[in-house]
Amino acid sequence: MHVFVTGASGWIGSAVVDDLLAAGHEVTGLARSDASAKALEAKGVRVRRGDLDDPGSIRAGAEAAQAVIHLANKHDFTNPANSSAAERTAVQTIGDALAGSGRPFLLASGIAGLAADRPSTEADASPFHGPDSPRGGSENLALEFVDRGVHTVSLRFAPTVHGIGDHGFIAVIAAIAREKGVSGYPGDGSNRWAAVHRSDAARLVTLALEKAPAGSRLHVTAEEGVTTREIAEALGRALNLPVASIPQDKVQDHFGWMCRYISMNGAATSTVTQELLGWTPTGPTLVADIDAGGYSKA
Ligand SMILES: NC(=O)c1ccc[n+]([C@@H]2O[C@H](COP(=O)([O-])OP(=O)(O)OC[C@H]3O[C@@H](n4cnc5c(N)ncnc54)[C@H](OP(=O)(O)O)[C@@H]3O)[C@@H](O)[C@H]2O)c1
């Protein structure tokens, strides 16, 4: 299949591209810079120059392909409204471009906010609707396109898609620990995050492209939940720093914009996804990756 991938140069996207190519698919990647274009070309990927701020480039890429995997995100965590607006525009643009075609449209989503006090499941609908909600309500917007003849599949990634070279949330938490001289966790550290190794996530995306029914909400999670205390303890070992609880009234000050993420319930099961796709994660656990030095360097 000829697949247009936005975010093809990113942490997850670059592994997804490798897996798609290995499975025999043809890939065109969106690139917003010379460096990203060069990295994609070196893999034998066709490049479409463009930007999330240029919906015309996204539309043209979607129209020219047999499927779209949308992974690009601005990740402007200090101004989430900026990322959400771009995300919503991209999803609307891709949906409009694919309407009536029956072609697959896979998009990145997340676990946050699906369930308050238990691991979320694939049956949990996202409560986020509209432009002012997290990620601009993009999952629900994309799923609305199923009724307009688009084969939408939501990829709900674990809060940490980990591995060597990760610059996501765990790398940010490690940087905060280095800066503060202590590897902290919020309160009693009992809140949990689901986790998945990057290689397992990439494999799942290819399987989802090939097998997931329209309207699927898939959980790209291997470990159901690792406590924030276990994460802090592993980072403490890796960075040779003391480990401490950060009292609830100091969590915002200590973690800054990461506060809302490190405090959330991010636990999730993937039983339905594993059975649906015949997907069995085999990569290292999050703590094994931290212990192996994946987050030891600044
Ligand atoms: N990593 C995780 O643990 C995790 C967890 C949950 C959900 N997710 C979601 O999964 C998706 C992929 O995440 P990731 O970790 O791979 O992110 P990433 O490493 O930060 O990569 C982001 C990608 O988006 C591209 N991009 C950023 N701004 C752009 C713009 N204005 N126009 C066009 N492209 C732009 C980047 O291009 P350049 O290479 O040129 O910068 C890069 O290819 C995102 O939607 C993310 O929110 C990730």
Side-chain angles (χ1 to χ4, degrees):
M1 216 182 294
H2 173 208
V3 193
F4 177 52
V5 182
T6 74
S9 53
W11 167 245
I12 297 174
S14 51
V16 166
V17 165
D18 291 346
D19 207 273
L20 289 170
L21 293 174
H25 297 289
E26 202 184 319
V27 178
T28 295
L30 182 77
R32 61 172 172 155
S33 70
D34 290 345
S36 295
K38 217 170 149 187
L40 292 174
E41 277 162 359
K43 293 182 175 188
V45 169
R46 269 192 262 164
V47 169
R48 179 172 292 276
R49 292 301 293 260
D51 198 290
L52 289 171
D53 290 328
D54 171 17
S57 63
I58 311 280
R59 168 179 281 277
E63 283 174 348
Q66 293 166 302
V68 179
I69 302 178
H70 171 52
L71 302 172
N73 194 289
K74 289 188 172 184
H75 287 154
D76 188 350
F77 291 112
T78 54
N79 181 11
N82 179 28
S83 303
S84 296
E87 174 66 0
R88 194 167 173 90
T89 300
V91 166
Q92 183 74 47
T93 301
I94 295 165
D96 285 339
L98 300 186
S101 71
R103 283 181 271 164
F105 171 23
L106 280 60
L107 80 156
S109 186
I111 297 296
L114 296 177
D117 49 10
R118 59 168 173 79
S120 61
T121 74
E122 294 86 341
D124 291 314
S126 166
F128 303 129
H129 295 268
D132 297 332
S133 54
R135 297 186 77 91
S138 60
E139 177 181 279
N140 282 321
L141 177 62
L143 289 170
E144 284 170 20
F145 278 95
V146 173
D147 289 339
R148 290 180 56 196
V150 179
H151 193 104
T152 302
V153 174
S154 176
L155 304 163
R156 292 173 167 177
F157 289 104
T160 170
V161 180
H162 56 88
I164 308 296
D166 175 20
H167 56 252
F169 284 165
I170 300 297
V172 173
I173 295 168
I176 292 169
R178 267 189 224 96
E179 184 199 324
K180 305 279 183 183
V182 58
S183 180
Y185 54 86
D188 66 5
S190 63
N191 65 306
R192 298 191 300 157
W193 281 18
V196 65
H197 190 267
R198 181 168 72 143
S199 58
D200 287 322
R203 185 75 203 119
L204 187 153
V205 175
T206 302
L207 289 171
L209 173 73
E210 295 167 347
K211 295 165 79 165
S216 300
R217 297 183 293 237
L218 303 179
H219 279 197
V220 194
T221 66
E223 294 180 88
E224 178 179 306
V226 186
T227 66
T228 49
R229 182 173 181 156
E230 288 169 316
I231 294 170
E233 286 171 349
L235 288 172
R237 287 192 296 277
L239 302 173
N240 200 20
L241 289 172
V243 179
S245 162
I246 308 299
Q248 291 298 356
D249 62 344
K250 302 268 187 322
V251 172
Q252 171 70 55
D253 183 50
H254 186 90
F255 289 103
W257 63 259
M258 175 54 74
C259 166
R260 62 189 285 243
Y261 299 101
I262 198 159
S263 303
M264 74 181 179
N265 169 35
T269 66
S270 61
T271 315
V272 171
T273 300
Q274 294 195 36
E275 282 172 10
L276 182 72
L277 301 180
W279 174 71
T280 307
T282 57
T285 63
L286 172 60
V287 166
D289 264 347
I290 297 173
D291 284 342
Y295 299 86
S296 302
K297 291 190 188 122

